[in-house]
Amino acid sequence: MGIMEGKSVLVTGVRNERSIAWHTALSLHREGANVIYSVFSEREQAGVKKLLDGAGITAPIFLCDASDEEQVAHLFQQVSEVSEGKLAGLLHSIAFANKDELGGEYVATSKEGFALAHVSSSFTLVTLAKGARELLKAAGGGGIVTLSYLGAERVVPNYNIMGVAKASLEASVRYLASDLGAENIRVNAVSAGPIRTLAARAISGFDAMVKEVAEKSPLKREVTPAEVGDTVLFLLSDWARGVTGETLYVDCGYHIMGY
Ligand code: NAD
């Protein structure tokens, strides 16, 4: 029997077969979870349906712009109906910034671009956590996991505004963990190494970041999305029942190196 057998988990952020959220969903399905999907667009909805059909899986796929609080409230009404009002976990795998601000100098960031990156990539965790709270409580508690990157802590060339938004996201993880801990709701982040996805393609010089990890990390290779998915699964599951407010690196150890 899988560790997530009979438990409902809401997964956001599947865009295509490369998405970190898709690989996490595969880990969750493997461990017996009832995965519920929330996607950004009708195009993604059709894409996820195709992926699920290919894997022989049936699951609800709802539409939601997570930066719109009304849409988030509606999403959780729909989620409640298909989960008997109980949720064991939530994956936030959402980020967005203007492509032209993911290169060059950070000092050139616009006010609009700054706000857009923070609302899309950090505030969406708050709205989703708020929306999921009652359903997680009804399940006796559960896990919330988001995806971050090393650029939250260190200057990574071209990551710019997204690094600042990820710093906000990681701080948000700690504040949410503090608010929700008394309800046995745990909130954690996985800081993944660079993986070739659509979101990553927007960052100038991304291939060089992947190459650098493969050359310089202790494991001397790229991180895979399946490895990230299995770590998210761990944090969502009871195996991590004593872990909250944490940022856990899945980057082949790259962040420990001093060069
Ligand atoms: P992806 O492009 O497959 O996924 C990004 C998802 O965010 C898409 O599904 C998109 O629709 C969704 N999204 C954006 N704005 C949204 C909104 N307002 N409401 C709902 N959904 C919205 O790329 P990915 O790399 O799998 O990204 C997932 C997460 O992982 C992001 O937070 C990203 O920053 C993070 N991450 C990625 C890497 C990497 O190298 N790929 C490394 C570390 C962290």
Side-chain angles (χ1 to χ4, degrees), residues 12-16 18-22 38-41 44 64-68 92-96 119-121 124 128 146-150 159 162 166 169 190-201 203 206 209-210:
T12 66
V14 181
R15 184 166 4 215
N16 58 28
R18 288 173 179 257
S19 297
I20 293 172
W22 173 242
S38 168
V39 297
F40 186 58
S41 67
E44 288 183 1
C64 178
D65 174 346
S67 66
D68 180 323
H92 171 271
S93 188
I94 292 173
F96 188 75
V119 170
S120 305
S121 314
T124 50
L128 288 170
T146 186
L147 269 311
S148 192
Y149 177 62
L150 181 64
Y159 203 62
M162 192 55 87
K166 291 296 191 195
L169 179 73
V190 167
S191 185
I195 293 171
R196 290 185 180 84
T197 62
L198 262 189
R201 248 205 266 162
I203 304 157
F206 184 78
M209 287 157 73
V210 176

